[in-house]
Amino acid sequence: MPGKTPDKEPVENGGYRGGKDITEKDLKSKAKKASKKEGDDEMTVVVPPAKSSKQSSAPPPNDADGDVLMDDAEKAAEGEVKVDPVVQTINDIKSNFALLDRAVAQFDARFSLRALRSISSIRRRLTPDILAQAISETYASSSASADVAKRMLLAIGRPDVSLGRQPGPEMEIDSEPKAAAAKNGARKEVKEVIPEVDVFLGILTQVLLHDSKRHQQGLEFSQYLAERIRSLNRRTLDSLSAKVYFYYSLFAEQIAPLPPSPLSPIVSIRPTLLAALRTAVLRKDVDTQASVIVLLLRNYLLTSHISQADLLVSHTQFPENAANNQVARFLYYLGRTRAIQLRYTEAHEHLTAATRKAPSSACALGFSQTATKLLLVVELLMGDIPDRATFRQPNMETALRPYFLLVQAVRVGNLEDFEGIIADHADTFRRDGTYTLILRLRQNVIKTGIRMMSLSYSRISLRDICIRLHLGSEESAEYIVAKAIRDGVIEATLDRERGFMKSKEVGDVYATREPGEAFHDRIRACLALHDESVKAMRFPMNQHRLELKNAQEAREREREMAKEIQEGDLDEDDLGGDFEGM
Amino acid sequence: MADRELTALLAHLKSSAGRLSYSETNALLSRAKLLLLQLNALTPAPGTPAAHLALARDTFEQGALASIRARNPDAFTRYVAQLRPFYELLPRGGGAAAAGEEGEGGGQQGERNKVTGLYLLLLLTQGLYGEFHSELEALAAAGGGDAEADRYLGYPIRLERWLMEGSYDRVWKAMKKGEVPCEEFGVFSEILTSQIRSEIASSSERAYPSLPLSSTKSLLFLESEGAVVEFARSRGWTVRDGQIYFPSAQETGEEEQEKEMSQMIMENTLGYARQLETIV
């Protein structure tokens, strides 16, 4: 890296906004070298005279240069005392560039994630003008990625903003780079912008277009951005590209004709997503892989291509160490697929995990609500009655109200109430996508009704059962009760001649295998929790090399010692009681 | 030119659907498929003109119905799979173009509901409930809530519900002549009858200690008492003094269960021990 050494600036002292200082050890040797430089604080920058022309032809990944730019932006920000929201936002955006740079330099995805996390706070303040200004200040008109910048400006509707504007109006333009550097930290740098920054700004553009509901433009721009990401093969882009695909498919969903129609644009983006998945798998790009699998699943489920979703799941392996949120989403969609396929036990397992993994903050409330609703229905379908406490959670209470009524009807086994609730809340259930599942509950209601009847009466005529459960005829009642007996819902016998059902004495639950099973389930859950906590521990990257080195040294010492013993320089006593200890 | 020939061929197929033998129909269908190939519409592409798509769809629909009449479920499943992309490209309802065609008496809709309904029924008789519900979900998403009200689609949906509940008498009634929406649906009656009969038999084994022969006849929807005796023998029931006694599988089962349970407890305990070892 030729352009690296000269203009390395004191990074640590610059101070990153929001306390984003560096705590991780520099692991790459390259980075180490850079950190050494950080020591000499007031190092003057020796900029090669023909900097700008040389830089524009240089290859894009020039992190050190990128660093300087960021630092300058930081300094400029601190220089300005007035807190203009526009300037503040621009600076916030730019402060993320530093993180991205660091992510590239140290090859640590955590910095990119941190940058992505800040999007939500920037989002609220983002306007086309702010973004246009940020873009124009980041890119020089002569730089290689200027066309990216132009596309972004075009997408946000500010095509006339020129590139290469200076960070502040009060800044005088100095044609001599050296002087500028000496004065205020190399302000007039015309440098190559790393692709990560391109993509980051691209994501901001997507966010902006999405918030302003310009979906068509968003889709077109996303197509362009996805294309560009595909052409760049950089591991440091992984988490960013995952986000790009996310917005890409979000735009496609919003464009008419809306999803359930088979002509919706989401069908046409499937090849792109599948190609992205393939590439991500080949490149071991976990972030994109996880996010694209989730998007594809969502895509299939929106058009009710259940079997295709099932095939996708069976042919792909969801990355184990994917981000928690993606895992939660994946589990939700998987649970949904399984519920439709009548595999309730699996569905229940996946949905429980999804609700537990869902972030507890208010921003993901919608997800938890949706997942909980589905979970409740699946629990009912399995013949369980959901916990009363689920409905008491303050942030869920109103959303779950129809489901609460539904549970009550199923619990009591009242078919009339049940049908009434379905009719009353059909729209809600349809909107939640649980309607067809709820229709399947009818048999459960009947079964519960029969169970209640069997518990309350030692003997009851089929006619009474028929009347109480609102069944069509006595024959129906007879068949239904017989089926319930066979399925093990109740312990009873039927008398055909006299037309009644006779309940058997209920045995002691503790004599059955049920308590053992419940106990086993709990132990298994605890063990799984333990395993997962062990897996979730994070160890610093490459730390083991250090240990290996120590081990190597220890071995060498041992060898030396052995040698000395052999040579008779050392008695056994000198080794102390070590052997015992071992 | 090819499309005119195809239209004529299809008209012939449709008008004489019931009378042609399966092999004759198959020969005609092969010719129709060759013509489709000439039109480049055998496999759908977004660029294929709508008229050709409709022709191709009609061809496959005729093929599907013919294979149902010939009781060939494999061929039917194949036709349904081939039809699916055409249905995706020719959406039902919605859109200005479809609204105009609605007035022509549903001719443009084709036999979609009929074929889908038959497919649902096939899945039901084969016991593939998972696929049945997947298909149902797709219908609900595509057509809103009117699936149940449809003559062809509502039939298998209702049957499934009754089967799940256990109201076998309603299933039986629905399969009688006059209740079936069209003749192709009648093909499945036989399979369904034997299916519900064995369902009833297995529930009766558990539910009744004994049954009089006379009422078993009506319970199992059998024609005569002789048929009942025969059926009882095939299931291994004993018939004595006009009563059917079911073999009690209870005692042998219990012992086995006991064994299974202690086995399970042992396995679990060993498992815990192993896990504890890894933790400590």
Side-chain angles (χ1 to χ4, degrees):
Chain A
M1 288 217 135
K4 181 182 193 76
T5 347
D7 41 22
K8 187 65 205 167
E9 281 288 313
V11 178
E12 303 291 58
N13 303 348
Y16 285 86
R17 194 164 299 279
K20 290 164 189 150
D21 54 335
I22 294 158
T23 49
E24 280 78 14
K25 259 194 167 175
D26 292 331
L27 299 162
K28 292 233 151 202
S29 59
K30 173 172 88 170
K32 255 183 200 160
K33 208 168 107 202
S35 66
K36 261 183 226 154
K37 283 281 171 200
E38 282 162 17
D40 25 11
D41 209 350
E42 289 310 314
M43 199 189 86
T44 42
V45 180
V46 192
V47 184
K51 179 113 182 142
S52 58
S53 61
K54 189 192 133 199
Q55 283 297 325
S56 55
S57 61
N62 204 340
D63 14 281
D65 287 346
D67 251 355
V68 177
L69 182 75
M70 299 326 134
D71 294 342
D72 292 346
E74 281 305 317
K75 278 191 182 168
E78 268 143 41
E80 284 163 334
V81 188
K82 52 170 183 179
V83 192
D84 183 7
V86 176
V87 177
Q88 177 71 31
T89 312
I90 293 176
N91 287 327
D92 279 355
I93 295 174
K94 287 186 173 175
S95 69
N96 285 309
F97 298 170
L99 287 169
L100 292 170
D101 264 321
R102 206 142 291 278
V104 174
Q106 304 183 4
F107 205 74
D108 192 338
R110 264 176 286 169
F111 291 107
S112 323
L113 290 177
R114 217 179 278 176
L116 285 176
R117 231 173 291 149
S118 71
I119 287 180
S120 61
S121 74
I122 294 175
R123 187 174 188 167
R124 266 173 259 127
R125 293 169 284 162
L126 207 58
T127 65
D129 289 315
I130 289 176
L131 190 58
Q133 203 180 334
I135 292 170
S136 79
E137 284 169 18
T138 312
Y139 295 96
S141 50
S142 58
S143 73
S145 42
D147 57 320
V148 189
K150 284 200 187 103
R151 281 296 291 255
M152 286 192 260
L153 289 174
L154 190 66
I156 56 173
R158 298 285 183 280
D160 46 346
V161 175
S162 61
L163 296 174
R165 214 195 294 164
Q166 291 308 306
E170 86 276 25
M171 229 67 77
E172 74 239 65
I173 297 180
D174 201 330
S175 56
E176 230 278 282
K178 240 181 207 171
K183 218 164 48 191
N184 210 353
R187 197 170 311 279
K188 172 99 164 66
E189 293 287 339
V190 186
K191 280 169 260 58
E192 213 38 71
V193 182
I194 54 170
E196 281 75 10
V197 172
D198 295 353
V199 177
F200 183 74
L201 284 171
I203 294 171
L204 284 180
T205 313
Q206 284 181 314
V207 169
L208 188 66
L209 287 172
H210 182 255
D211 288 350
S212 52
K213 306 237 183 305
R214 280 182 286 171
H215 302 303
Q216 193 60 46
Q217 275 154 301
L219 186 66
E220 281 157 25
F221 177 71
S222 307
Q223 257 154 2
Y224 166 75
L225 199 60
E227 199 57 47
R228 187 171 158 74
I229 285 175
R230 256 218 307 238
S231 64
L232 297 163
N233 182 8
R234 286 164 71 95
R235 292 289 59 73
T236 40
L237 270 177
D238 288 355
S239 40
L240 295 165
S241 64
K243 208 83 181 161
V244 169
Y245 284 114
F246 171 75
Y247 281 109
Y248 182 29
S249 101
L250 207 59
F251 282 127
E253 271 172 37
Q254 310 275 359
I255 293 171
L258 291 172
S261 152
L263 295 179
S264 157
I266 54 169
V267 179
S268 61
I269 69 164
R270 277 178 200 166
T272 320
L273 289 179
L274 285 168
L277 176 61
R278 208 157 42 226
T279 321
V281 172
L282 286 176
R283 289 174 181 172
K284 293 204 189 308
D285 173 355
V286 175
D287 291 316
T288 312
Q289 205 179 328
S291 133
V292 170
I293 289 178
V294 168
L295 289 175
L296 275 169
L297 271 181
R298 177 181 169 80
N299 201 323
Y300 287 136
L301 287 180
L302 277 174
T303 50
S304 296
H305 286 120
I306 313 297
S307 47
Q308 289 191 37
D310 183 40
L311 285 176
L312 176 76
V313 173
S314 63
H315 289 297
T316 50
Q317 203 176 5
F318 193 75
E320 261 174 41
N321 42 355
N324 189 44
N325 293 354
Q326 298 296 357
V327 177
R329 287 194 188 114
F330 176 72
L331 286 170
Y332 167 71
Y333 290 124
L334 193 59
R336 201 175 166 72
T337 323
R338 294 286 176 260
I340 291 168
Q341 291 175 322
L342 288 113
R343 286 148 77 175
Y344 299 132
T345 323
E346 282 171 66
H348 184 254
E349 207 173 288
H350 295 314
L351 288 170
T352 318
T355 42
R356 285 190 191 150
K357 277 196 200 280
S360 47
S361 64
C363 62
L365 190 60
F367 177 82
S368 339
Q369 282 178 352
T370 317
T372 314
K373 284 173 190 168
L374 195 57
L375 179 65
L376 291 173
V377 176
V378 170
E379 262 179 43
L380 285 176
L381 280 169
M382 289 174 76
D384 296 341
I385 298 298
D387 218 0
R388 181 73 173 80
T390 321
F391 302 99
R392 282 218 201 89
Q393 292 167 37
N395 48 8
M396 298 257 188
E397 209 170 352
T398 36
L400 295 182
R401 181 80 192 152
Y403 292 88
F404 175 61
L405 297 172
L406 189 72
V407 170
Q408 274 187 329
V410 176
R411 203 174 71 87
V412 179
N414 191 331
L415 209 54
E416 210 171 354
D417 276 7
F418 174 73
E419 311 244 301
I421 287 161
I422 289 190
D424 285 352
H425 299 278
D427 289 337
T428 320
F429 295 145
R430 281 226 175 86
R431 204 171 48 238
D432 294 342
T434 48
Y435 186 69
T436 46
L437 291 176
I438 288 172
L439 284 184
R440 292 186 207 167
L441 274 173
R442 207 183 122 88
Q443 38 169 319
N444 290 49
V445 181
I446 294 176
K447 273 185 195 163
T448 325
I450 293 177
R451 183 155 49 193
M452 299 304 269
M453 217 84 73
S454 148
L455 287 177
S456 344
Y457 302 95
S458 61
R459 194 200 260 191
I460 182 167
S461 73
L462 289 171
R463 161 168 284 283
D464 283 340
I465 294 182
C466 173
I467 291 166
R468 271 163 212 235
L469 292 180
H470 309 284
L471 300 172
S473 63
E474 242 173 279
E475 287 99 68
S476 285
E478 187 169 357
Y479 287 121
I480 291 169
V481 172
K483 190 170 160 27
I485 293 171
R486 190 198 55 180
D487 295 345
V489 178
I490 48 170
E491 290 280 325
T493 49
L494 281 171
D495 193 318
R496 185 158 171 94
E497 279 132 287
R498 280 171 287 173
F500 62 75
M501 174 182 90
K502 188 169 183 292
S503 308
K504 281 181 192 163
E505 284 297 308
V506 190
D508 182 12
V509 157
Y510 288 95
T512 64
R513 59 167 71 187
E514 231 161 271
E517 267 164 18
F519 183 56
H520 180 61
D521 275 347
R522 281 176 197 195
I523 291 185
R524 212 174 40 197
C526 289
L527 289 174
L529 181 68
H530 174 265
D531 285 351
E532 262 167 43
S533 340
V534 171
K535 273 187 211 156
M537 283 188 208
R538 188 191 271 172
F539 299 99
M541 208 169 143
N542 289 342
Q543 194 65 37
H544 68 285
R545 291 222 181 117
L546 219 68
E547 278 166 30
L548 278 181
K549 212 169 138 202
N550 288 343
Q552 191 91 29
E553 276 168 16
R555 258 202 298 284
E556 247 154 54
R557 267 204 306 280
E558 224 166 78
R559 209 174 294 139
E560 264 168 43
M561 231 183 260
K563 216 168 160 192
E564 280 171 23
I565 292 171
Q566 269 182 350
E567 286 164 3
D569 291 350
L570 210 68
D571 311 61
E572 296 281 309
D573 296 342
D574 287 344
L575 290 167
D578 277 71
F579 285 118
E580 272 170 67
M582 288 159 90
Chain B
M1 198 185 79
D3 48 346
R4 220 169 308 137
E5 205 180 329
L6 188 61
T7 321
L9 199 63
L10 279 173
H12 177 56
L13 264 174
K14 272 184 204 166
S15 60
S16 55
R19 282 171 278 123
L20 291 170
S21 76
Y22 186 46
S23 54
E24 277 170 335
T25 320
N26 252 351
L28 284 176
L29 280 170
S30 315
R31 251 179 67 206
K33 280 187 218 164
L34 277 176
L35 288 170
L36 275 181
L37 211 54
Q38 277 172 26
L39 289 173
N40 214 4
L42 194 62
T43 49
T48 321
H52 289 179
L53 283 179
L55 280 177
R57 185 199 57 196
D58 286 349
T59 313
F60 289 127
E61 275 172 355
Q62 288 309 317
L65 295 177
S67 48
I68 274 296
R69 280 192 291 268
R71 313 195 173 198
N72 186 346
D74 291 338
F76 176 71
T77 317
R78 252 194 318 278
Y79 276 117
V80 170
Q82 275 170 324
L83 275 169
R84 195 156 301 164
F86 290 102
Y87 288 146
E88 303 258 295
L89 285 170
L90 291 167
R92 62 167 82 200
E101 283 148 6
E102 208 102 2
E104 292 169 26
Q108 214 57 28
Q109 280 278 15
E111 311 252 28
R112 176 172 187 166
N113 286 353
K114 196 166 166 185
V115 172
T116 317
L118 282 169
Y119 183 58
L120 284 173
L121 203 54
L122 178 74
L123 290 175
L124 203 58
T125 50
Q126 290 178 341
L128 299 168
Y129 294 110
E131 277 81 356
F132 179 88
H133 282 284
S134 305
E135 197 70 20
L136 211 58
E137 190 79 10
L139 280 179
D146 58 357
E148 213 179 319
D150 188 272
R151 201 156 72 94
Y152 297 119
L153 294 177
Y155 184 68
I157 293 174
R158 280 196 300 276
L159 280 191
E160 193 266 353
R161 195 163 302 153
W162 290 331
L163 277 178
M164 284 292 121
E165 274 172 26
S167 342
Y168 299 118
D169 59 321
R170 292 197 196 185
V171 181
W172 176 252
K173 273 183 212 143
M175 280 186 312
K176 279 190 199 140
K177 294 250 156 63
E179 297 287 323
V180 182
C182 71
E183 48 158 341
E184 281 87 0
F185 283 76
V187 173
F188 292 102
S189 300
E190 213 171 290
I191 313 170
L192 272 176
T193 310
S194 63
Q195 200 179 340
I196 57 169
R197 200 166 284 155
S198 73
E199 283 282 315
I200 296 169
S202 71
S203 8
S204 311
E205 277 173 18
R206 298 291 302 276
Y208 302 98
S210 70
L211 269 176
L213 263 183
S214 52
S215 64
T216 317
K217 190 184 79 179
S218 59
L219 192 71
L220 291 170
F221 312 116
L222 287 167
E223 300 295 319
S224 64
E225 292 197 8
V228 176
V229 173
E230 205 169 296
F231 186 78
R233 201 167 296 138
S234 71
R235 289 201 70 99
W237 298 339
T238 44
V239 184
R240 234 184 304 133
D241 333 315
Q243 289 271 337
I244 296 179
Y245 293 96
F246 303 106
S248 57
Q250 214 75 19
E251 273 133 55
T252 50
E254 222 154 79
E255 210 167 272
E256 233 164 69
Q257 251 180 8
E258 194 79 10
K259 217 168 159 190
E260 201 180 291
M261 196 169 159
S262 48
Q263 178 106 22
M264 199 184 75
I265 289 177
M266 268 190 271
E267 258 171 41
N268 287 350
T269 321
L270 284 176
Y272 304 150
R274 208 176 308 129
Q275 289 281 358
L276 268 179
E277 211 153 85
T278 56
I279 293 171
V280 176

